[in-house]
Amino acid sequence: MRAIVVNEFGGPEVLRLDEIATPRPAEEEVTIDVEAAAVGLIDVLFRRDGLRGVLSLPFVPGIEVAGRVREIGEGVAGLKVGEPVVTLSNPSTAGYAEVAAVPASLVVPLDATGEDSVAGRVSAAAAVGNVPNLVTALAVLEDAARMRPGDDVLVLGASGGLGGVFAGVAHALRAASVTGVVSRASRIPEAQARGFDDVVTVDQLTGLDSRFHVVVDPVGGAARSAALALLRPLGRMAVVGNASDEGQVVVGTNDLWIGNTGIIGLNIAGLLSAEPERAATLASRALNLLHHSDVAQPVETLPLDHATEAHRRLESRSVHGRLALTP
Ligand SMILES: NC(=O)c1ccc[n+]([C@@H]2O[C@H](COP(=O)([O-])OP(=O)(O)OC[C@H]3O[C@@H](n4cnc5c(N)ncnc54)[C@H](OP(=O)(O)O)[C@@H]3O)[C@@H](O)[C@H]2O)c1
């Protein structure tokens, strides 16, 4: 089968189209005929250095796919060959390929049941561009940050693939307000289009009068430091990424005590790997949102052999919404 293979760490040019053996499902796995593979900043980090040793060479990037079930491994129940599915985030998905092997616990049927059904209404690209990030946003807001109806929410990286999804999800969870933060003024219209009530730049954070019950941070660095000062008493920051690639922001536990604030991290692939029983409920709620609320993000598709271009665009921060590769 055709796949994008990384044989050496480096720039976007190390993403090479190759012919490799088609995977077969191991126990508790299925294989999927891939129709769309999501491209996210995490793929860039894996490509640069294997995320400091998490992945070893060679590997096929891509942690989320949508398509049709091709083959079912031992011990898998509840999935049918040929049915349309999307996967949740999984670092070993190897999604930039014609066929991907995936743990069955992370595979979500798209023609499941009744009113949650989105088959025929959501393309593979829309499913893979939305469902995994909706699952992450739900887990971040409800399970990690314990957001409640009436809360004021601040989201960094508001024009990004993950950050942008929080506007719709926080509104669906009945936030009183959702403010987005972008890196520069030219990105404000992009974030406004994603549904934020208000959009400010990172530079404006220090002058902001508003205070927030919940801050969501996929960016890190200077933006994280500025946003921490904007938490209300008993406010919670959810740390969900480090898109700025700046170093660690160090916070003393005594500062949390004196300041009446909390910080919690969430990495969805790690959480679902440690507690796979969370996946089905989160996925069902994500599909419900996609079906009934105005949460869908724009997803642009590129052919599989344009993986290098996809990474270049992501790194130059010129993507609107999400990118997906189609084999
Ligand atoms: N926790 C999880 O489970 C999970 C799931 C998915 C992704 N992630 C992480 O979330 C982060 C974003 O991923 P993504 O795929 O959404 O990437 P993306 O689409 O490239 O978005 C990155 C965002 O970060 C912003 N940004 C980058 N550098 C910045 C800086 N110095 N100051 C302010 N804003 C800056 C960009 O702002 P502009 O557009 O304004 O330039 C953009 O909005 C990554 O670290 C990824 O690993 C985590």
Side-chain angles (χ1 to χ4, degrees):
M1 68 165 185
R2 291 157 68 245
I4 298 293
V5 182
V6 174
N7 288 302
E8 57 182 322
F9 296 124
E13 68 283 354
V14 303
L15 299 165
R16 299 259 169 74
L17 188 66
D18 207 345
E19 279 289 330
I20 62 171
T22 304
R24 303 281 317 277
E27 207 174 327
E28 311 279 334
E29 280 187 352
V30 300
T31 49
I32 294 172
D33 284 315
V34 177
E35 292 170 11
V39 180
L41 208 56
I42 189 75
D43 304 339
V44 170
L45 303 180
F46 282 133
R47 189 210 71 219
R48 283 181 188 155
D49 64 1
L51 202 57
R52 300 181 186 98
V54 173
L55 284 189
S56 48
L57 296 168
F59 68 91
V60 175
I63 68 166
E64 297 142 354
V65 299
R68 288 181 183 268
V69 175
R70 174 187 178 91
E71 212 177 341
I72 295 177
E74 293 281 321
V76 176
L79 291 168
K80 298 190 294 286
V81 169
E83 77 176 314
V85 291
V86 62
T87 75
L88 305 187
S89 312
N90 166 37
S92 57
T93 296
Y96 295 8
E98 287 177 313
V99 180
V102 186
S105 62
L106 296 177
V107 177
V108 180
L110 288 173
D111 59 357
T113 52
E115 63 172 9
D116 278 353
S117 172
V118 291
R121 300 184 208 182
V122 174
S123 66
V128 83
N130 282 284
V131 175
N133 276 353
L134 285 170
V135 159
T136 304
L138 283 165
V140 167
L141 289 176
E142 290 202 313
D143 302 329
R146 313 275 165 165
M147 193 209 119
R148 289 175 293 225
D151 278 358
D152 295 305
V153 178
L154 182 76
V155 181
L156 307 187
S159 52
L162 178 62
V165 88
F166 282 90
V169 176
H171 279 129
L173 298 175
R174 292 185 285 135
S177 72
V178 193
T179 302
V181 184
V182 291
S183 60
R184 53 199 188 279
S186 60
R187 292 298 260 170
I188 290 177
E190 172 70 23
Q192 283 170 331
R194 315 288 279 276
F196 289 93
D197 299 310
D198 199 8
V199 181
V200 298
T201 64
V202 171
D203 294 344
Q204 293 172 318
L205 278 180
T206 45
L208 222 55
D209 289 330
S210 313
R211 293 293 178 268
F212 300 90
H213 299 92
V214 170
V215 172
V216 178
D217 178 13
V219 171
R224 177 169 302 164
S225 301
L228 268 172
L230 299 177
L231 284 169
R232 288 185 186 216
L234 301 185
R236 290 82 61 201
M237 171 181 273
V239 172
V240 300
N242 193 44
S244 69
D245 209 19
E246 293 176 37
Q248 295 271 11
V249 172
V250 178
V251 180
T253 46
N254 283 346
D255 295 337
L256 302 180
W257 157 43
I258 299 297
N260 289 306
T261 53
I263 305 176
I264 187 166
L266 190 136
N267 147 31
I268 196 69
L271 181 66
L272 295 180
S273 155
E275 298 186 354
E277 64 278 9
R278 288 179 182 271
T281 311
L282 282 166
S284 155
R285 286 164 58 212
L287 284 173
N288 198 36
L289 274 184
L290 193 56
H291 190 55
H292 296 292
S293 311
D294 186 20
V295 295
Q297 302 294 305
V299 184
E300 183 188 347
T301 57
L302 292 169
L304 181 64
D305 58 2
H306 285 46
T308 296
E309 178 191 338
H311 276 221
R312 283 208 175 102
R313 285 183 51 194
L314 210 56
E315 286 182 278
S316 66
R317 289 157 65 176
S318 58
V319 175
H320 300 288
R322 293 212 79 189
L323 291 179
L325 297 172
T326 53

